[in-house]
Each structure stands twice: as structure tokens, then as C-alpha cells.
Amino acid sequence: DAMVIQNPRYQVTQFGKPVTLSCSQTLNHNVMYWYQQKSSQAPKLLFHYYDKDFNNEADTPDNFQSRRPNTSFCFLDIRSPGLGDAAMYLCATSRWTGGTDTQYFGPGTRLTVL
Amino acid sequence: AQSVAQPEDQVNVAEGNPLTVKCTYSVSGNPYLFWYVQYPNRGLQFLLKYITGDNLVKGSYGFEAEFNKSQTSFHLKKPSALVSDSALYFCAVRDRNNNNNDMRFGAGTRLTVKP
């Protein structure tokens, strides 16, 4: 089945220690998104890639970076995690950025910062 | 900018009873509207969307939603709730007239269906 996969499902890191979260997709979608979701709140868009074009949300901290080496994979890098970065991180994909298109989400990675 | 309000943090219903999860939206133009469901420790799962046409949209697992332009609402409904419907539900909106890809989510409504 075509799907969005996130690894690991649970990640523990130490305060200030860089961490990378991974997302892959078999849907062959052009767009990949990263959202941050804190305890039962609405997901907050951090950034997205349309193919190789990176689009950063204005209020996304510089501490958060992303890489998309190919169509299938996208990574979220947190350079110096703080306690406030503990959250669920959701990856999503869509075929294009048109308003009608559905976003398909992965299961998420829950990040704990000690 | 578009926004979504889910006025109820929590909805409790008995199994077999109809359920409604409310959503109202605000956009400068016409909306595209979505409902997603999130089970514990899982990602969001698409339920249904309104793009154009018939105001009543049918989706997965027996859910439906009605677009009401005059009331700027897109309430999620199901005629007969199941215990397995217990989850967190998110409404989301995009502005049809906005060329960016910004989809705004509501704060979520936790649905609990009791046996």
C-alpha cells in the first residue's frame, strides 16, 4: 500500500543535542510537509517542499531545518533542541500545492527532550 | 488569512446515538474544507473534504459533513456513533482565492463515545 512512513516513531534526545527525524513516501507526491503538534493542539506547519523548492513558514525558528534529497525522502533537523521542542512531529504529502488537494499524513514521531 | 474554530473541546455521546462535531471557518474568499481524525499516538487520517458542488459531503467510516455558506459552518456528523469513533477530530480550511498552500487547522475536538 502506498503510504507515508516516519522513523523513528519515538525519539529521545538531550537538551542541545542535534536530532534528525525521517519521513519517506511511496505515493510519489510532489509536496512534503513538516508539522509540529503539541499535546492535542492543532498541527502547526513548519515548512514544506514542492519538489526541490523549500518554503519556510515565517514563524518557524531557525533551529528547525529540512532536507529533501530526493522525491521519496524528507528530513527534519533540529539543531539544538530545547525543552519547548518536545512535541509530535508529523510529515505529510500531497500531489501538488493546489487548494483542493488532500494531505496524507504519516504516523508521526514523538520527540522527548531531556 | 483563513481560520477555523471548533467551539467544543470535548463531545461526549452514547454509542448508537447521532454525533455532531462543530466547525466554523473564516476566509476572505470561498473555502476548501477538510475533516481529519487522529487516534492516540497516530498521524492525522483524512475523512472527507468539501471542494464544490453538493453541500453534503460523505466520507470514510459513515461520516458526513454539511457545508453551510450562510453560517460559515462545516459540521461533521454521523447517524450512529461507535465506541471506536472515539478520537481527536480536526477541521481545516484553505482559502480558494489564496495561492499559497496554507491549510489552517482548528484546535481539535475530542470525541468520546461511551458504550
Side-chain angles (χ1 to χ4, degrees), chain A residues 13-110:
Chain A
T13 191
Q14 292 182 336
F15 183 93
K17 184 175 181 181
V19 66
T20 294
L21 309 182
S22 171
C23 178
S24 64
Q25 54 127 345
T26 61
L27 297 161
N28 203 32
H29 282 174
N30 294 310
V31 192
M32 295 186 77
Y33 309 80
W34 280 104
Y35 287 87
Q36 180 192 64
Q37 186 184 24
K38 294 188 176 182
S39 65
S40 298
Q41 295 179 18
K44 179 182 179 301
L45 182 64
L46 295 174
F47 26 59
H48 76 271
Y49 272 94
Y50 185 98
D51 197 11
K52 293 181 185 294
D53 293 332
F54 178 70
N55 298 271
N56 198 31
E57 293 299 298
D59 57 354
T60 298
D62 292 339
N63 198 27
F64 291 87
Q65 304 285 322
S66 186
R67 296 171 284 132
R68 189 179 185 186
N70 54 52
T71 300
S72 300
F73 284 87
C74 194
F75 300 99
L76 170 62
D77 301 308
I78 308 176
R79 293 192 296 188
S80 181
L83 297 179
D85 296 328
M88 175 78 90
Y89 289 88
L90 299 170
C91 175
T93 73
S94 64
R95 285 176 296 174
W96 56 74
T97 58
T100 64
D101 211 30
T102 300
Q103 293 185 16
Y104 295 90
F105 285 79
T109 295
R110 184 167 296 283

Side-chain angles (χ1 to χ4, degrees), chain B residues 77-88:
Chain B
K77 299 184 179 185
K78 186 172 182 179
S80 179
L82 300 173
V83 173
S84 58
D85 292 330
S86 299
L88 192 56

